[in-house]
């Protein structure tokens, strides 16, 4: 999968989780539903619910969304980044592509220190997404166990 496909799919997964959580809590879905919609909706209808802690925006999400929005509307990799080709890696040839610290910066002003390897970034982000989504679903299951029915 390409970096843009990964970012689109990850962002969509968060939006889908948001839709599902709102449905589980009996909300009627209207208009566009984004990840932040679940927190906003549940805060109003169930202000003390434990799921709200899991719906808070994780610290890593802002950077993730910034990369996703950049690949959707701008240019993530600019002509001034250095791509490393390692022909002597024990697993075989390896290409290392860095991600810019601020993908919205002009190409000649970009730094590439925070995420120097796109493969490592996507692997770490995939684990973060899975963990985060699992915590949200676990919280929903706990609510169903306590209440014994849906909607919560």
């Amino acid at each position: 999968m390409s970096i843009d496909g990964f970012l689109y799919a990850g962002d969509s997964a968060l939006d889908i989780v948001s839709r599902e959580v709102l449905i589980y809590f009996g909300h009627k879905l209207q208009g566009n539903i984004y990840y932040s919609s679940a927190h906003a909706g549940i805060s109003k209808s169930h202000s003390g619910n434990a799921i709200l802690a899991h719906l808070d925006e994780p610290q890593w999400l802002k950077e993730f969304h910034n990369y996703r929005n950049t690949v959707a509307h701008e240019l993530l990799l600019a002509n001034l980044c250095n791509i490393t080709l390692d022909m002597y890696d024990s697993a075989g040839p390896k290409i290392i592509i860095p991600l810019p610290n601020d993908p919205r910066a002009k190409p000649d002003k970009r730094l590439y220190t925070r995420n120097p390897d796109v493969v490592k970034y996507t692997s770490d982000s995939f684990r973060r997404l899975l963990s985060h989504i699992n915590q949200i679903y676990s919280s929903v299951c706990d609510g169903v166990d306590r209440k014994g029915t849906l909607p919560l």
Side-chain angles (χ1 to χ4, degrees):
M1 178 185 288
S2 60
I3 181 67
D4 54 343
F6 168 74
L7 293 167
Y8 296 146
D11 200 42
S12 292
L14 291 170
D15 292 346
I16 290 166
V17 167
S18 182
R19 288 178 149 288
E20 290 180 1
V21 167
L22 288 169
I23 290 168
Y24 297 146
F25 279 84
H27 289 243
K28 293 185 193 260
L29 302 181
Q30 297 177 349
N32 294 329
I33 305 294
Y34 300 106
Y35 176 72
S36 60
S37 304
H39 193 283
I42 304 303
S43 293
K44 291 177 186 172
S45 64
H46 298 78
S47 62
N49 196 285
I51 199 168
L52 288 170
H54 301 295
L55 295 173
D56 283 338
E57 187 173 293
Q59 184 177 3
W60 52 266
L61 191 59
K62 182 177 180 181
E63 178 181 67
F64 183 87
H65 278 153
N66 204 13
Y67 285 142
R68 184 260 174 223
N69 291 336
T70 301
V71 299
H73 307 290
E74 298 174 40
L75 182 64
L76 182 61
L77 296 177
N79 58 348
L80 298 175
C81 76
N82 292 319
I83 297 174
T84 304
L85 176 59
D86 184 355
M87 296 298 291
Y88 304 104
D89 188 89
S90 61
K94 181 179 180 181
I95 297 175
I96 301 171
I97 301 172
L99 292 174
N101 295 0
D102 179 4
R104 299 279 172 104
K106 291 183 179 184
D108 62 337
K109 302 292 183 196
R110 290 182 180 181
L111 299 174
Y112 295 86
T113 57
R114 189 174 11 214
N115 296 304
D117 183 356
V118 68
V119 173
K120 181 175 179 350
Y121 175 79
T122 54
S123 178
D124 292 347
S125 294
F126 187 62
R127 280 194 285 282
R128 287 183 198 119
L129 280 165
L130 288 177
S131 175
H132 186 66
I133 290 170
N134 185 53
Q135 290 172 24
I136 293 169
Y137 282 130
S138 294
S139 186
V140 168
C141 290
D142 291 344
V144 172
D145 286 346
R146 279 192 304 279
K147 189 170 181 186
T149 186
L150 288 173
L152 300 173

